Amino acid sequence: MSERLNAVRRALADAPADRVVECLAEAVAKEYGDGDLELLLVDYRLAALLPLFGGPPVTRPGDPAWRCYDHQAEVTAGRTGYLPVTARGERMGVLRLSPLPSAELERAELAEIATLLGHELQAAGAGTDRYTVAARTRRLTLAAEMQWELLPGRSRVGPEFSLSGQLEPAYAVRGDGFDWAEHDGRLFITVLNGMGEGVGAALLTSLAINALRNARRAGLALADQAALADQAIFAQHRGEAHVEAMLLELDLTTGELTTVDSGSPRMMVLRVGEVLEQPLDAQFPLGMFESSDYEQRTRRLTAGDRLLIVSDGVAEAGGEAGRYGDAALHRFVRRTGALAPLQAVRSLLGDLRAFVSSDLEDDAVAVCLDWTGPGH
């Protein structure tokens, strides 16, 4: 590692949580020459890149900043360069530099610095609200604030998979949510739809997610995770509130997929351009009865499969032309097959907003997983 790259790394590590980007700008100017440096943060809706230091948001899809974000690669426009700010697959935004050095080594080091910035922003988030607030185009409802705090992120990449999820209406979501975790060669994914409105729905989903995490971290089997969450929700609400959920466990080596379906989220597989519905044995929603037994089912994915899980708020969304519907959903899944999972869920929910011509009235969640198979 070069001395100047080390110097920038030290400056990032020593920076106060709320001044990470300012300290980075000073270090880059000192080591690589004076210029303008700006961080563009992607907003909650995945529809705008917002400059941290102020200025108009970037919303035009063909803008160089969006091309950098979507393709996760350096993009240049004249003497200005754009570098993806990403940590472990979580896409936070874009670093804009002007002028971008012409030397290949310097550009490679700056690309590494943009990745270092992503990791530092994740660490700094525990100590400041600055970057969280800067990624908003408007105030979140209290229920939405609670829901976003529950999420594990919006995208994740591993050697055998690429994964993403998104909620709508992003600034006013209530009871829908998702969770995931990777451990010991297995990927766990949960998609939830909590009943009710406002803070009550958010509290219900929060209880469900934390009960499922508690069971997962105790090493329980998938069916037992559902049973523990079921008991926790019933103990709190005595059957007056429940959560529909889908629990998945994927063996990243073999592609064996274990499922527990306790409600409305539906699952589709895109395989070689064909959308295959994956009917599951629907069991009682979590918390509906005092004691419910859950059974898990297994099936096997094929390397290259895309798994898409959506809540009922997607196909049931209504506009002037009627329901969005299954046919439109299948067409869109096929059409976005070449996109990365984050682009796919972003495009799907954007298409849904365009269909209803406004924010969604009902919550919608979409989670997209590409399983590439071992050794990819």
Side-chain angles (χ1 to χ4, degrees), residues 224-287:
D224 295 329
Q225 293 176 29
L228 187 146
D230 173 65
Q231 293 166 14
I233 295 168
F234 186 87
Q236 187 68 29
H237 295 282
R238 311 306 299 178
E240 295 181 0
H242 59 263
V243 176
E244 297 166 332
M246 183 176 292
L247 283 63
L248 309 174
E249 179 182 336
L250 175 64
D251 186 314
L252 292 170
T253 301
T254 66
E256 182 178 80
L257 182 69
T258 304
T259 62
V260 172
D261 178 13
S262 66
S264 70
R266 60 188 292 186
M267 183 168 66
M268 294 161 282
V269 169
L270 180 64
R271 179 176 294 162
V272 197
E274 183 181 0
V275 178
L276 307 173
E277 288 281 355
Q278 302 294 300
L280 300 170
D281 296 329
Q283 301 172 71
F284 291 126
L286 305 177

Side-chain angles (χ1 to χ4, degrees), residues 274-335:
E274 183 181 0
V275 178
L276 307 173
E277 288 281 355
Q278 302 294 300
L280 300 170
D281 296 329
Q283 301 172 71
F284 291 126
L286 305 177
M288 181 171 279
F289 300 108
E290 184 171 5
S291 180
S292 298
D293 292 327
Y294 293 92
E295 295 183 359
Q296 57 194 48
R297 298 285 186 267
T298 60
R299 63 192 67 205
R300 196 170 294 273
L301 296 182
T302 300
D305 278 354
R306 164 164 290 182
L307 196 66
L308 185 70
I309 307 152
V310 298
S311 65
D312 56 3
V314 176
E316 296 297 324
E320 293 182 1
R323 284 192 326 122
Y324 189 73
D326 294 346
L329 179 58
H330 284 194
R331 282 196 304 270
F332 201 88
V333 171
R334 286 193 295 269
R335 195 162 70 239

Side-chain angles (χ1 to χ4, degrees), residues 15 43-44 57 70 101 112 131 158 164 176 193 207 221 235-236 248 256 263 280 299 304 322 326 330 337:
D43 88 309
Y44 282 65
D70 285 337
E112 186 171 345
Y131 313 108
S164 186
D176 282 10
N193 179 9
L207 173 59
Q236 187 68 29
L248 309 174
E256 182 178 80
L280 300 170
R299 63 192 67 205
D326 294 346
H330 284 194

Side-chain angles (χ1 to χ4, degrees), residues 62-116:
D63 190 275
W66 272 115
R67 286 191 280 122
C68 171
Y69 183 86
D70 285 337
H71 299 292
Q72 290 293 284
E74 176 191 309
V75 172
T76 57
R79 299 189 67 198
T80 301
Y82 299 84
L83 302 168
V85 178
T86 303
R88 298 185 183 277
E90 179 68 19
R91 304 183 186 188
M92 284 164 275
V94 171
L95 192 64
R96 183 170 63 199
L97 297 164
S98 183
L100 187 68
S102 58
E104 187 175 337
L105 177 59
E106 290 183 342
R107 290 161 73 126
E109 289 179 347
L110 287 167
E112 186 171 345
I113 287 168
T115 300
L116 291 174

Side-chain angles (χ1 to χ4, degrees), residues 161-205:
F161 70 93
S162 181
L163 173 65
S164 186
Q166 175 66 3
L167 304 177
E168 279 290 339
Y171 289 87
V173 68
R174 299 168 290 273
D176 282 10
F178 59 84
D179 191 29
W180 59 57
E182 181 188 1
H183 175 68
D184 196 24
R186 293 181 175 271
L187 180 66
F188 299 87
I189 303 173
T190 306
V191 181
L192 307 99
N193 179 9
M195 66 176 288
E197 298 290 334
V199 171
L203 286 168
L204 180 61
T205 301

